[in-house]
Amino acid sequence: MPSTLDSHTRSLLEEARGWLGVKYAYGGHSKSGTDCSGMVMELFGSAAGIKLPRNSREQHKFCKKVDKKELVPGDLVFFANNLRTGRIGHVGLYVGDGLMVHASTSRGVIVSGLGEDYWTKHYVAGGRVEDFYKRVSDQQRKDKKRKTKSGKAEKPAPQTERETPTPVVPVPAPVPMPADADESADTADVTVSQWFDILP
């Protein structure tokens, strides 16, 4: 998760936060009860005015495919309930730091880690809503230009002969989430603050 968020992504994640705890209801897409694709559809509709297809398979087709390593907050993650067929049957909203918000059939709308055993085994693909991503990219470019014009982007001070560059310390890779046996145990101890506490 970036230390600073553009306004579009911030609005989407704030909307997702408001759905945490909503009970699961097959075919539902409101805060009185929702399924996975219904929640995702409503998130983008409410926060961005973007209309997504109703079910997870169509949402997968609607999105641009994204490698798992390239996921950014606001992307979607898709899973197959049946490993034999590989048919997509579940979707979640990626929120950064290896986490997603999704509607679990057993626990309602929760935060889960992609590193959990069940989700690792059933993962199919990442998807990007191109219209939303374009807005994010445009906003980031505008913010960068605005900072440059306002003089906030300071040039680094020239180094003297005695100065030595500060070594770059590599950031360790995130530790995988605890593994769970099946979807009924897809609620590893992940607190909301782990991804929402950076929001302004």
Side-chain angles (χ1 to χ4, degrees), residues 13-192:
L13 299 190
E14 286 283 7
E15 182 67 24
R17 171 160 55 184
W19 285 72
L20 291 173
V22 172
K23 68 180 181 180
Y24 181 88
Y26 179 75
H29 55 93
S30 72
K31 290 185 179 179
S32 61
T34 187
D35 59 20
C36 60
S37 58
M39 182 196 68
V40 167
M41 179 184 70
E42 292 296 335
L43 288 179
F44 278 88
S46 298
I50 297 174
K51 186 175 182 180
L52 297 186
R54 176 60 182 86
N55 66 64
S56 57
R57 287 184 294 280
E58 291 302 316
Q59 288 174 357
H60 175 250
K61 294 178 182 178
F62 183 84
C63 292
K64 176 183 178 181
K65 187 176 180 181
V66 180
D67 189 271
K68 196 173 185 179
K69 296 179 181 179
E70 304 298 324
L71 290 171
V72 296
D75 286 341
L76 300 181
V77 281
F78 298 93
F79 306 86
N81 293 336
N82 188 316
L83 293 178
R84 183 177 60 82
T85 63
R87 187 182 184 187
I88 291 173
H90 192 71
V91 60
L93 175 71
Y94 185 70
V95 297
D97 199 27
L99 304 174
M100 67 172 172
V101 170
H102 66 117
S104 162
T105 56
S106 58
R107 303 300 293 272
V109 180
I110 58 172
V111 178
S112 293
L114 298 183
E116 296 173 30
D117 188 56
Y118 179 88
W119 301 116
T120 297
K121 290 179 179 178
H122 292 256
Y123 185 86
V124 175
R128 181 162 292 163
V129 180
E130 293 188 86
D131 188 25
F132 180 78
Y133 188 73
K134 183 179 184 301
R135 297 181 194 181
V136 171
S137 299
D138 290 344
Q139 185 65 56
Q140 290 174 339
R141 282 194 292 271
K142 290 179 182 178
D143 291 343
K144 186 176 181 179
K145 288 182 179 179
R146 189 178 300 112
K147 289 181 179 180
T148 301
K149 290 181 179 180
S150 64
K152 291 182 179 180
E154 299 180 357
K155 294 182 179 180
Q159 294 183 351
T160 63
E161 293 183 359
R162 294 183 180 182
E163 292 179 331
T164 56
T166 302
V168 177
V169 180
V171 178
V175 179
M177 298 299 299
D180 290 311
D182 52 39
E183 186 179 3
S184 64
D186 60 7
T187 55
D189 294 332
V190 179
T191 61
V192 176

